[in-house]
Amino acid sequence: MSDSSIQSKVKSLRWYRRVHKWIGIPLLLFFLLIGITSILLAWKKKAELLPPTLSTKVEQGTWILPSEMVKIGDEEMKKLGRDSEVDRIDIRPDKGTAKVTFKTHFTEIQVDGFSGEVLSIGTRHSDWIEKVHDGSIIDYYTTGDEGAKLTYSTLISIGLIFLAISGFYMWYYPKKIRKMKAN
């Protein structure tokens, strides 16, 4: 092979190394954050980042209405002096319970689906960890839309794709250069 094509590959390799370094250094913190929160989310039940799901104490009966569950959640949050705007109700028919979660904080109230009794009140740590993981924590505390989440996820993803491609070339080009020199 000609000396000029070897020099071309060497130049490309140097360029990939520079760009890889200057993209990788600023994104390092975010990759660490995503990696750590991924581990926590994968182990959320074992690490007890969610309040354990309790079971009903009632043997049989009819389910209370979701509107009643919202009312129970509202009353409990008012007792605690917290915002009572409900985000969702997670109904667990097999356990006979419902989990009421809120929009402006990470509290969960577990309600007996038959009697309406409050079984537990706890913090859902996995919810805020998930928001840190996907970047929506910024939206949560600011605008409420998904602008920061989409920007964060897009930039991190593009950076990761470029780092994967440039990393491949930093592995591949030295092999190719050695082969070209041997010929």
Side-chain angles (χ1 to χ4, degrees):
M1 277 284 146
S2 73
D3 210 29
S4 66
S5 55
I6 291 174
Q7 285 301 332
S8 169
K9 298 289 184 222
V10 169
K11 263 184 155 173
S12 293
L13 181 59
R14 287 183 185 137
W15 182 84
Y16 275 116
R17 281 187 181 143
R18 268 194 312 275
V19 174
H20 188 89
K21 177 176 75 174
W22 290 110
I23 287 177
I25 290 172
L27 294 179
L28 179 65
L29 176 65
F30 297 110
F31 291 150
L32 286 171
L33 190 67
I34 290 169
I36 292 166
T37 55
S38 292
I39 291 169
L40 290 172
L41 290 171
W43 286 84
K44 67 183 171 189
K45 289 183 181 171
K46 300 281 185 206
E48 297 179 3
L49 297 174
L50 282 171
T53 304
L54 303 175
S55 295
T56 183
K57 298 173 185 170
V58 178
E59 292 296 319
Q60 288 193 0
T62 56
W63 276 80
I64 61 174
L65 295 173
S67 59
E68 186 63 26
M69 294 173 190
V70 169
K71 184 179 172 194
I72 292 166
D74 181 54
E75 291 169 359
E76 289 300 316
M77 286 300 102
K78 284 181 180 170
K79 287 181 197 174
L80 295 172
R82 312 244 11 221
D83 184 28
S84 62
E85 187 178 4
V86 172
D87 182 36
R88 66 183 180 273
I89 302 171
D90 179 7
I91 295 177
R92 304 289 176 103
D94 58 323
K95 302 268 188 175
T97 59
K99 297 180 177 187
V100 180
T101 60
F102 302 88
K103 286 189 178 182
T104 59
H105 49 90
F106 302 106
T107 306
E108 164 190 288
I109 296 177
Q110 289 188 43
V111 178
D112 188 309
F114 299 114
S115 69
E117 175 188 354
V118 174
L119 300 174
S120 76
I121 299 174
T123 302
R124 294 178 59 91
H125 295 288
S126 66
D127 286 0
W128 67 262
I129 292 170
E130 185 177 331
K131 288 188 182 310
V132 169
H133 177 77
D134 69 9
S136 63
I137 194 79
I138 296 166
D139 296 323
Y140 181 79
Y141 286 114
T142 58
T143 63
D145 63 8
E146 291 188 335
K149 174 185 174 179
L150 294 174
T151 302
Y152 169 83
S153 297
T154 301
L155 291 176
I156 295 298
S157 298
I158 290 170
L160 187 56
I161 290 166
F162 184 81
L163 289 174
I165 291 168
S166 63
F168 170 78
Y169 279 109
M170 289 189 321
W171 167 81
Y172 176 72
Y173 272 178
K175 292 179 182 313
K176 183 140 178 108
I177 292 167
R178 279 193 292 277
K179 190 175 181 181
M180 291 168 77
K181 284 182 178 179
N183 290 336

